[in-house]
Amino acid sequence: MGDNLVYAVRSSQGFYLKRGLGTDAVTVFEQNNSSKEVACNVFAYSNNGQLFAYCDNQVTRVFEIATNKEVLCLELKRTRKILFSPKDNFLLTFEPWAIYGAKTSENQKPEPNVRVYSLADGKHVSTFSAPKESSWEPQFSDDETLAARMVGSEIFFYTNMSFERYDHKLVEKGATSFALSPGSAPNHVAVYVPAVSSNPARVRVHKVSASFPVVANRTFYKSDKAVVTWNQRGNALLILASVDVDKTNQSYYGEQSLFLINIQSGDSVIVPLEKQGPIYAAKWNPNGREFAVCYGYMPAKVTFYNPKGVPIFDLLEGPRNDVFYNAFGNIVLICGFGNISKGKMEFWDVENKKEIISIEVPNTTLFDWAPDGQHFVTCTTAPRLRIDNCYRFWHYTGRMLAETHFDSPKEELWEVRWRPMMGYNKFAIKELTKTDKMAAGLPIKKKDASHPLNNVPAGAVRQAGAYIPPHLRKPLGGGGSAGPPTAAPVAPTNGNQNQRPPQRFNGNGNGNGNAPQPFRPQQSEQDRKLFQLKKKVEEIKVLKQKVANGDHLQPNQLDKIKREEEYIADIAKLSI
């Protein structure tokens, strides 16, 4: 399983490429060196996965992965970013825009820091300056006939990778960013202008041509930056606008708002969000026909929308802050990484709107789907976390396939990336059996190797039911010898929530005169959420009575009353 998948690992000890996910993985390329002077700072795959480029503080090199044949070797030791053009005909390198060596005059400016090379013959094609690392990358059309980059508030368009002379120029006063649409011609470009004084912020979409006609426009307030994301078809885009400071002091993350523009109709709408709070992620499905948004104060909510911005499905609240679709868009991961140390990961069948499995992988700082759409990697990397650095390979059913640990603090893991590979097709999502669910999750590590739970998947423990004290494991008839653990009783399902759970007696019956010792069965996640929702509804009834009595309520109590219908709707969903 996954024998043909190739991945690259970059660490403080060098970097390597391997094929296969198990213990029999084959090393494709390796460069071991713990010296900081020759550490690998950056690597990149070509879009078709045939080439691999890296810089080791000595040279910038490109080679074929299949044959290790060198394609390009440049005396560029300061390369910090590497970019392949969409059809892999050209290579672009970026180094910090600075003066190296002694300064010869006061008016001296740094040399151009972005270089373009042809991969067919290795020749240098063009050079230009990019002062900011955050915006150095030119944007290309899928067929490479068009390239665009921003200088100040002007966007220059080039053909044939010749950056010395532009063909067209678009000027938007005050513009700070732009996004060129993917897909076939005609292409469009979305330009963002932040709010200034009483003038609102705006995103204006132009058709790429000599006259740059406007095809759509959206204005909004409370925005000093925005992220524009096109769908893969290039006919719709999302605008995640944000301001760093929330003047109401309700959110540490500032304020965010989300807008949708449809290019074909020219319509723009505000994406409706059912819950207040920050927007953590807004991502398109690779099929371009839906998008998912993770938003709201913790516990956060996730909602799926169609291309018109109409909600089609949403999930219950939970500890999550990101969304990842696989390559085919038939599986989506809803997860909580970063400051949510629990690292809960929920895998959902997109078409059937059904959860596949959920696992917990704490301290995950990097996640990446494999090109086959079935496997993925989770990593704990430096400098975000300098202890317990490791990477793990998984299957979407939640089963861990392999893991590699690094000896902290001597060794640090920096990055793990899959090689892009063509030829994979969309697959049918399997229905998990009880055995599959028991094999899911991280193995439980016990210091005592003889411990019965040592190296057992977490799923097996979750499926085992509630813990039963030893004195309750003996048969009721009592002979003194302890029997096997008794299965946990099942919670009543006939709607009688007040029914008392079955009671258990100790093994010698009532001969010792002790009172019966009842115990509660382990609640499922759904039962716990249902209990919490019902508790909130009861609290709202009490708050309403206080309002009727003329009592003064706090703002958060008033907000709770406003959400009564939402809680009742969630109870109805969980009670089906």
Side-chain angles (χ1 to χ4, degrees), residues 244-307:
D244 290 333
V245 179
D246 180 7
K247 295 182 179 179
T248 62
N249 291 327
Q250 292 183 354
S251 174
Y252 172 81
Y253 299 96
E255 291 184 74
Q256 294 86 24
S257 52
L258 189 64
F259 306 91
L260 172 67
I261 295 180
N262 189 298
I263 301 303
Q264 295 174 342
S265 63
D267 297 333
S268 63
V269 298
I270 301 176
V271 178
L273 304 177
E274 294 185 358
K275 188 176 182 180
Q276 293 183 346
I279 300 175
Y280 307 102
K283 296 183 180 179
W284 285 100
N285 188 314
N287 62 24
R289 296 191 296 269
E290 72 171 26
F291 62 93
V293 185
C294 180
Y295 62 96
Y297 297 114
M298 289 294 168
K301 197 175 185 68
V302 175
T303 303
F304 296 86
Y305 301 83
N306 65 14

Side-chain angles (χ1 to χ4, degrees), residues 93-211:
T93 64
F94 168 87
E95 62 183 40
W97 196 59
I99 297 175
Y100 300 98
K103 194 173 182 179
T104 57
S105 66
E106 294 183 358
N107 298 326
Q108 182 181 356
K109 293 184 178 181
E111 296 292 328
N113 58 334
V114 179
R115 298 172 175 83
V116 185
Y117 297 89
S118 171
L119 292 173
D121 51 18
K123 292 183 178 180
H124 177 263
V125 176
S126 185
T127 303
F128 61 90
S129 297
K132 297 181 180 179
E133 183 174 348
S134 59
S135 59
W136 78 272
E137 291 187 15
Q139 298 183 29
F140 302 94
S141 60
D142 290 349
D143 57 4
E144 283 189 9
T145 58
L146 191 67
R149 71 184 189 98
M150 174 173 279
V151 180
S153 59
E154 300 177 333
I155 304 173
F156 297 97
F157 293 84
Y158 308 87
T159 56
N160 302 322
M161 288 293 173
S162 178
F163 289 94
E164 282 77 16
R165 184 179 181 86
Y166 64 85
D167 292 274
H168 304 291
K169 180 174 70 172
L170 173 61
V171 181
E172 283 276 6
K173 186 177 180 181
T176 58
S177 63
F178 77 101
L180 187 65
S181 68
S184 57
N187 294 99
H188 297 83
V189 58
V191 186
Y192 168 71
V193 180
V196 178
S197 185
S198 60
N199 297 323
R202 71 172 183 267
V203 170
R204 188 171 289 169
V205 182
H206 301 262
K207 181 180 178 181
V208 178
S209 65
S211 59

Side-chain angles (χ1 to χ4, degrees), residues 470-484 505-509:
H471 67 280
L472 296 179
R473 299 177 186 173
K474 298 177 182 180
L476 293 177
S481 60
F505 296 83
N506 41 9
N508 56 0

Side-chain angles (χ1 to χ4, degrees), residues 1 20 35 53 108 141 148 166 184 196 226 253 303 326 364 367 388 396 400 457 459 469 518 548:
M1 184 178 290
S35 173
Q108 182 181 356
S141 60
Y166 64 85
S184 57
V196 178
Y253 299 96
T303 303
N326 71 347
T364 299
F367 172 90
D388 296 331
Y396 75 87
M400 191 181 75

